Amino acid sequence: MITFENPTQFRQHKESGDVIVSYSNLMEISQGGPEIGDLSIKGKLIGDYRFGGPCIIDGEFVYAPVYVKKFFGTGFKLSKIHAVTLEVTVFGKMKDLIYLDNITDGRVHFFEDINKTISQYCEIN
């Protein structure tokens, strides 16, 4: 069992209340780099996206890094997924890594590096 989660090793199944999140088809995007995969909520696959971890469940919303491929590179953006409608909202600037930490006072706090030295946040309200 994984007790300490990070973008390279995280739980593939999380539950909070009646929200159940599962990752599948995980793969490293580079050797020793973060893992991405498919994400399901309550058994329903969120299509058209590949998600990194770890995710955070906050009430009826799931926050997870979403893998983004662009012409000039790849990276992650923050996503907010409604657990009932499965509507995905992607926001923020593209980062090399998004390592979610917590949600407080209407902000999602995250780190931009595996060593937790570059701290950032995004407003979610």
Side-chain angles (χ1 to χ4, degrees), residues 35-46:
E35 289 194 340
I36 60 169
D38 298 325
L39 189 128
S40 300
I41 299 176
K42 298 182 187 178
K44 296 179 183 172
L45 184 66
I46 310 298

Side-chain angles (χ1 to χ4, degrees), residues 40-103:
S40 300
I41 299 176
K42 298 182 187 178
K44 296 179 183 172
L45 184 66
I46 310 298
D48 300 327
Y49 298 98
R50 301 280 286 169
F51 294 91
C55 68
I56 296 176
I57 301 171
D58 184 45
E60 60 184 18
F61 292 98
V62 176
Y63 295 87
V66 64
Y67 186 64
V68 177
K69 282 185 173 183
K70 293 207 173 189
F71 185 71
F72 291 108
T74 61
F76 292 91
K77 287 189 171 193
L78 187 58
S79 71
K80 177 180 179 179
I81 309 158
H82 192 275
V84 176
T85 66
L86 304 181
E87 179 182 345
V88 178
T89 304
V90 177
F91 56 97
K93 294 181 180 179
M94 191 163 74
K95 309 284 184 184
D96 290 334
L97 181 76
I98 294 181
Y99 183 172
L100 293 178
D101 185 38
N102 64 61
I103 298 174

